[in-house]
Amino acid sequence: VQLVESGGGSVQAGASLRLSCAVSGYRHCVAWFRQVAGKARLGVASISSPVGTTYYRDDSLKGRFTISRDSAKNTVFLEMYGLEPGDTGMYYCAAHSGTLCSDWTRYRTWGQGTQVTVS
């Protein structure tokens, strides 16, 4: 399985971005993680296949971030609204074949990341 992210960029606070993750091959769970320099990667949101159940690390993200997928295009999206400087980081797409998509420790397959900078 290969994961290829795109859609990052430098934006001002309050802006929106949509990140895309092109997934080659099947994995039950696909997630987005964020990593700030010098810190561990933290799960942001995940989505299951084929049902499309979504999980968010915490409720504060649900109002601003939305994870979704286009099954026909094998692409998972992370739409981010009202971006804040605290959202800055490298965003990685990740996948695993287990059943618990909310288990952030299970993700072993990673993309190369896409940088999001909010000023």
Side-chain angles (χ1 to χ4, degrees):
V1 171
Q2 285 190 320
L3 308 171
V4 179
E5 303 96 329
S6 61
S10 295
V11 298
Q12 293 191 337
S16 301
L17 280 176
R18 188 176 79 162
L19 307 183
S20 300
C21 174
V23 183
S24 64
Y26 175 79
R27 285 294 184 270
H28 178 64
C29 301
V30 177
W32 286 96
F33 283 69
R34 178 174 65 217
Q35 185 170 29
V36 177
K39 296 188 177 181
R41 293 179 190 182
L42 294 178
V44 173
S46 64
I47 189 166
S48 69
S49 294
V51 176
T53 304
T54 59
Y55 305 88
Y56 295 86
R57 173 169 285 275
D58 57 64
D59 289 342
S60 66
L61 293 176
K62 286 183 181 179
R64 297 193 300 119
F65 289 13
T66 301
I67 189 169
S68 62
R69 63 192 174 95
D70 183 332
S71 298
K73 296 182 179 179
N74 288 335
T75 301
V76 174
F77 304 101
L78 183 68
E79 295 181 272
M80 306 184 290
Y81 308 96
L83 284 163
E84 304 167 350
D87 297 319
T88 294
M90 184 70 81
Y91 283 73
Y92 293 92
C93 183
H96 76 77
S97 298
T99 57
L100 294 178
C101 297
S102 58
D103 185 349
W104 311 109
T105 67
R106 294 292 304 274
Y107 290 88
R108 294 288 184 267
T109 303
W110 298 90
Q112 82 287 353
T114 185
Q115 177 68 35
V116 172
T117 303
V118 185
S119 59

